[in-house]
Amino acid sequence: MDGNASGEDYENIDWDTEDELEIENITPSSCSNGVAHNVQAIVSNGAAVVSNGEASSSAGSSNSKLVQHFLGMGFSEEMIAKAIKENGEANTESILESLLTYGALASEESPDERNSCHLNSPQQQQFVDNDQLSSDYDESLLADLSDSDDSWSGSEIAETSNSLPKHEKAILSLANMGYTVEEASAAIDRCGPEASIAELTDFICAAQMAKTEDVFFEEEKPKISFNGSLKKRKLYELEMRKRKKRNPEDEEMIRLPNPMIGFGTPTHGNVITHRKLPDAAKAPPYFYYENVALAPKGVWDTISRFLHDVEPEFVDSKYFCAAARKRGYIHNLPITNRFPLLPLPPRTISDALPLTKRWWPEWDKRTKLNCLQTVIGSAKLTDRIRKALEKCGDNPPEHVQKYVMDECRKWNLVWVGKNKLAPLEPDEVEMLLGFPRNHTRGGGISRTDRYKSLGNSFQVDTVAYHLSVLKDIFPNGINMLSLFSGIGGAEVALHRLGIRLKNVVSVEISEANRDIVKSWWEQTNQKGNLIHFSDVTQVDGHLLQRLMFSFGGFDLIVGGSPCNNLAGSNRVSRDGLEGEQSSLFFDYFRIMDLVKDIMNNKKE
DNA sequence: ACTATAATGACGGGCTTA
DNA sequence: TAAGCCCGTCATTATAGT
């Protein structure tokens, strides 16, 4: 994947021009009402803010890359600037060390210093009065606000008793969210008794991160590679185990369900109809996070802990279509009255690919395909298999059958002729994943890249089933923040559900993928606005604030962060959540937290 | 002929379930 | 205990484009 957040290619990213160009491409087709006009201005400004930020941290682009890197880890800009000044730009390790030291020192410093080490807490971000805005815009803003307010007023509200003193109540809620009492009270000590739960969780997360890094540095001081190593993961797991020992019943490892049907599927029905969300997860907006289910041990525990301790819903898409796809979803959506996309997709290979039936030998017992991945079997492979089969006539001996079946399962081969196996065609993958035919075709994308983009995508029917509950909640449509959009699985799902897409802010590193979504957007005659950005690490509070200000906040944040370093088929760099690409999960967390903060401040 | 892009093939292992 | 599964990476080779 060209998605690579820590490479040298940052220098090549030209925010202003690229984004303005993309906006310009969109605006003419969809700006009949002035809203788009506003958005254009806002996005341009947003980009300008980003570059201003880079400029203000002085000393050019490599510096800003550095700053962004640490911002991404959750340190405040002031601290980063300070650390860079002390250590110089060259030595990232010593900068990080300084940053962590500041964190440690802060606890003994004066109260004023306390807030400076908060993770990502936006400084007094508020919504300004919108006198200067056009009436069009005003209307849409109000409509949106009432949308989201309505939707949340009905949800179950806190059951914490009012008799408790404030700080004990806070400890209680934090404990409910899965933090230890020590962590909670330390956070309250540091942030003060008046601190909001969000502030407190921010602090705890920062502390946890720092702690993990600390262990790493203590034992590995000499040469550290920044892009997480296996050792780093091992140490992280060690830390997990230590924590578990300290508090055995508190830190239950997440286990995968069998059958993997989450809270239910269209065919299994809703097995679970009620769940209790942690308080912190009840606040708007709705969020939906996705990643591979079979991640290294401890990864889902960490992801869950960062996402307000919401339990993952593990679902295998083989219950929705003809191909397996084991994924975990963490979301705060209601789970009653879900409904599937119609028509229901074929759920066996022979129904999905009828032409294969004729050639399917009786000794191939498969009815479902395995997970659709990013690479396919080669022509040479299927040629070898054909020759092997031809040699032994109509009834291949056991060992040949086993050889063939092993390859079939490994490469998801299907029968297309006598003794002839073939990998799936890209349009067959599109169909299995629930995308319109030719969704990824043309526009300059190579076959190889089509497979890659598709292999990295959502299964649309599965995601749509989960998101279907939004249809009643937002009859007028939604504003969505789509992180790691890929080829637009969430967008397609919502569209097929008949949920209008008002404003979609989409962040996707691959230009080919952005083109795919853009072209889908045009072809489906979307009336809303599609706003593209390329790099999640560059999405900051200012940008979000401007965007949200323009259309009244997000109703939904969707994202599946990179699985490269989690996926089982990665033999080279399965480094866990700290891996080069997979660590972008922390940007999902960071951005979600920023959005929540902005939306909550707005209400007060 | 040279360059850029696309396709190919070699590369295990951690973890779960039966 | 054994079988089966997995949103992958990288260097090399083939092909397309000029």
Side-chain angles (χ1 to χ4, degrees):
Chain A
M1 161 103 57
D2 37 358
N4 182 343
S6 52
E8 259 61 57
D9 31 281
Y10 264 0
E11 275 101 327
N12 300 328
I13 296 174
D14 185 341
W15 274 78
D16 301 281
T17 54
E18 182 176 345
D19 289 321
E20 265 163 359
L21 278 178
E22 299 205 13
I23 298 299
E24 272 162 24
N25 286 342
I26 290 157
T27 314
S29 62
S30 58
C31 85
S32 53
N33 57 8
V35 173
H37 225 77
N38 265 323
V39 171
Q40 176 177 16
I42 279 149
V43 174
S44 310
N45 287 346
V49 168
V50 172
S51 27
N52 282 346
E54 287 171 0
S56 74
S57 51
S58 79
S61 57
S62 69
N63 186 328
S64 80
K65 181 176 70 179
L66 204 58
V67 173
Q68 289 302 332
H69 181 89
F70 289 114
L71 278 174
M73 296 174 72
F75 296 103
S76 75
E77 211 164 336
E78 301 91 306
M79 289 176 68
I80 296 167
K82 189 175 162 195
I84 292 178
K85 201 154 64 177
E86 281 178 12
N87 298 286
E89 287 178 38
N91 196 340
T92 40
E93 289 103 47
S94 56
I95 296 172
L96 178 56
E97 221 165 334
S98 296
L99 286 168
L100 293 169
T101 317
Y102 301 158
L105 290 176
S107 59
E108 292 144 28
E109 280 176 9
S110 64
D112 324 20
E113 298 270 334
R114 284 177 187 164
N115 289 330
S116 65
C117 76
H118 275 177
L119 187 66
N120 306 320
S121 71
Q123 309 84 333
Q124 308 147 337
Q125 286 172 339
Q126 279 172 9
F127 277 72
V128 201
D129 259 333
N130 49 348
D131 290 340
Q132 77 275 30
L133 299 167
S134 75
S135 57
D136 268 4
Y137 165 78
D138 211 352
E139 238 173 60
S140 77
L141 176 68
L142 290 177
D144 292 349
L145 290 180
S146 58
D147 260 355
S148 24
D149 284 354
D150 283 353
S151 62
W152 286 98
S153 59
S155 64
E156 329 86 292
I157 305 292
E159 55 275 50
T160 25
S161 65
N162 289 324
S163 55
L164 290 170
K166 206 159 192 174
H167 67 281
E168 287 187 22
K169 221 159 66 181
I171 290 182
L172 203 64
S173 355
L174 288 168
N176 276 333
M177 292 166 66
Y179 298 109
T180 66
V181 176
E182 297 99 274
E183 282 170 328
S185 47
I188 292 170
D189 284 346
R190 290 277 295 276
C191 306
E194 299 300 315
S196 71
I197 294 292
E199 280 175 297
L200 294 171
T201 52
D202 276 356
F203 172 80
I204 296 174
C205 289
Q208 283 173 344
M209 273 169 136
K211 200 184 285 174
T212 312
E213 299 288 340
D214 259 346
V215 174
F216 179 57
F217 278 110
E218 272 164 28
E219 307 188 15
E220 274 287 297
K221 214 143 201 172
K223 48 169 187 282
I224 324 138
S225 77
F226 229 106
N227 303 328
S229 59
L230 275 173
K231 272 183 193 156
K232 195 170 176 182
R233 201 186 105 216
K234 292 273 155 55
L235 285 163
Y236 173 74
E237 281 166 9
L238 218 138
E239 173 70 4
M240 286 289 297
R241 243 168 277 150
K242 244 193 282 176
R243 226 176 272 171
K244 198 175 169 185
K245 205 177 265 178
R246 203 201 315 141
N247 217 333
E249 71 254 26
D250 199 56
E251 209 81 37
E252 275 296 309
M253 278 283 189
I254 289 173
R255 291 184 61 86
L256 298 175
N258 185 22
M260 198 182 276
I261 54 174
F263 300 130
T265 71
T267 43
H268 281 72
N270 270 19
V271 181
I272 299 168
T273 50
H274 290 290
R275 64 165 170 170
K276 193 161 168 286
L277 282 173
D279 283 348
K282 291 178 185 170
Y286 287 111
F287 66 90
Y288 189 81
Y289 173 81
E290 178 261 8
N291 216 320
V292 291
L294 286 80
K297 268 187 178 164
V299 165
W300 274 106
D301 301 84
T302 307
I303 293 176
S304 169
R305 207 167 59 242
F306 273 87
L307 302 182
H308 301 302
D309 259 329
V310 177
E311 259 188 61
E313 173 172 16
F314 291 106
V315 183
D316 188 337
S317 292
K318 76 178 180 186
Y319 300 107
F320 287 82
C321 69
R325 206 168 188 77
K326 298 177 184 63
R327 295 293 179 269
Y329 306 88
I330 289 189
H331 61 83
N332 61 348
L333 296 161
I335 58 174
T336 50
N337 300 320
R338 290 170 164 182
F339 60 90
L341 290 179
L342 296 175
L344 291 177
R347 298 220 323 285
T348 62
I349 300 174
S350 58
D351 285 344
L353 306 165
L355 293 180
T356 64
K357 248 185 295 189
R358 178 161 173 219
W359 309 106
W360 209 271
E362 49 83 27
W363 46 269
D364 183 347
K365 306 290 185 198
R366 290 176 300 158
T367 58
K368 304 269 187 191
L369 292 160
N370 281 336
C371 184
L372 307 170
Q373 304 199 74
T374 55
V375 286
I376 59 156
S378 65
K380 290 264 167 32
L381 171 68
T382 54
D383 192 50
R384 279 199 300 273
I385 296 177
R386 182 175 56 81
K387 292 200 166 97
L389 283 169
E390 278 171 354
K391 260 195 285 191
C392 44
D394 280 348
N395 284 321
E398 191 105 349
H399 71 277
V400 176
Q401 286 184 19
K402 175 158 169 40
Y403 160 68
V404 174
M405 286 314 302
D406 283 351
E407 298 297 332
C408 281
R409 278 194 279 257
K410 189 194 298 184
W411 293 106
N412 262 333
L413 305 175
V414 294
W415 299 92
V416 294
K418 185 173 169 61
N419 296 332
K420 265 204 324 184
L421 283 156
L424 296 168
E425 289 294 310
D427 62 317
E428 292 169 331
V429 181
E430 282 169 349
M431 179 266 294
L432 288 162
L433 290 176
F435 287 93
R437 172 159 297 205
N438 294 337
H439 183 71
T440 59
R441 189 179 188 184
I445 190 171
S446 75
R447 200 179 151 83
T448 313
D449 283 345
R450 278 182 84 185
Y451 284 117
K452 185 181 284 191
S453 292
L454 285 161
N456 280 311
S457 172
F458 287 166
Q459 205 288 325
V460 170
D461 299 271
T462 311
V463 171
Y465 186 63
H466 298 159
L467 297 180
S468 62
V469 296
L470 294 172
K471 189 167 184 177
D472 283 342
I473 302 175
F474 299 106
N476 298 320
I478 64 168
N479 297 319
M480 170 165 70
L481 175 57
S482 173
L483 304 174
F484 314 100
S485 307
I487 58 174
E491 288 82 351
V492 173
L494 290 164
H495 177 64
R496 288 190 55 195
L497 285 165
I499 298 172
R500 194 163 77 82
L501 299 167
K502 294 193 292 193
N503 294 284
V504 173
V505 175
S506 162
V507 189
E508 168 57 40
I509 194 86
S510 148
E511 187 182 3
N513 285 347
R514 290 199 302 272
D515 289 343
I516 288 168
V517 173
K518 199 193 294 175
S519 120
W520 171 83
W521 190 267
E522 283 159 11
Q523 282 173 32
T524 50
N525 297 314
Q526 298 289 330
K527 297 291 185 288
N529 302 300
L530 173 65
I531 302 160
H532 263 138
F533 295 95
S534 64
D535 190 338
V536 288
T537 66
Q538 304 275 344
V539 174
D540 63 4
H542 297 291
L543 179 60
L544 288 168
Q545 201 173 6
R546 282 172 185 279
L547 289 165
M548 292 166 68
F549 179 42
S550 79
F551 46 71
F554 290 110
D555 304 307
L556 175 66
I557 304 178
V558 180
S561 64
C563 67
N564 305 32
N565 312 114
L566 310 178
S569 24
N570 187 342
R571 305 166 179 200
V572 181
S573 52
R574 197 182 186 188
D575 300 339
L577 204 52
E578 327 288 326
E580 186 175 357
Q581 287 85 23
S582 294
S583 57
L584 289 171
F585 158 74
F586 294 107
D587 283 278
Y588 180 95
F589 157 75
R590 177 181 63 82
I591 291 168
M592 184 175 100
D593 234 38
L594 280 171
V595 170
K596 281 191 170 225
D597 276 344
I598 297 172
M599 290 182 72
N600 290 336
N601 285 346
K602 170 204 70 181
K603 285 195 165 183
E604 284 156 19

